[in-house]
Amino acid sequence: TTMSILFLVLSLILNFLISYGNANYVGRYWSESKVIGGGFRAYIISGYVMAIAGFTMVYAYLLLIISPIFLQIAKVDQDTILLFEKLASDLVYVFCVITVIPTGFHIWLRSLKNFWEKKTIANGLTAGWNTFAQLSNTIDAAREAPSAFKRVKDTLFDVKGKKKDRVMIIIVAILVVILAILGGYFTASYFMKKADREYDMFEDLKEKANATL
């Protein structure tokens, strides 16, 4: 329906913007985090991984919309196309669970620590949002991840009665996911490196210190 398409488009745009925000934020501190190291470096890397996962989801949805059209042109039967869509979407979901949940816990704990040390409205809102997002993602993963892992395992490793086109579809699904991940990586890296070039945290701290003198 029109509403479903509109909701999907808005979701993709929102996901892209959030991922851009993550990549831009970590980029502002990327070089400096290498110098500082420790927990701050881990926090920045976690945000970078989050950005990659977010962009990956956007590209994966787009590829999942486009790919079946080409499969239909190639006269692939509907059951095989359905197998492709299920496998590709499950693989993307598994990738996102593996990346988003662990990094999300690190970002969530860091935001709680920041709010505890400096109780500002901004830190409070950030900690509140991260708490909601991490709780929601973890509950969703606990419900959906086991069945997604099982479907992937069954599709990839149950070799009984496999047809040639079925094997080909599995290869295509894996390639689509790899393309989505590469798209996510290169997009996140582009915005991260751009922000890294444009912002110098140490220089900004110097200017603020001089302004207070």
Side-chain angles (χ1 to χ4, degrees), residues 121-137:
I121 294 175
N123 285 349
L125 290 173
T126 300
W129 168 254
N130 286 341
T131 299
F132 167 76
Q134 187 60 28
L135 186 62
S136 176
N137 289 338

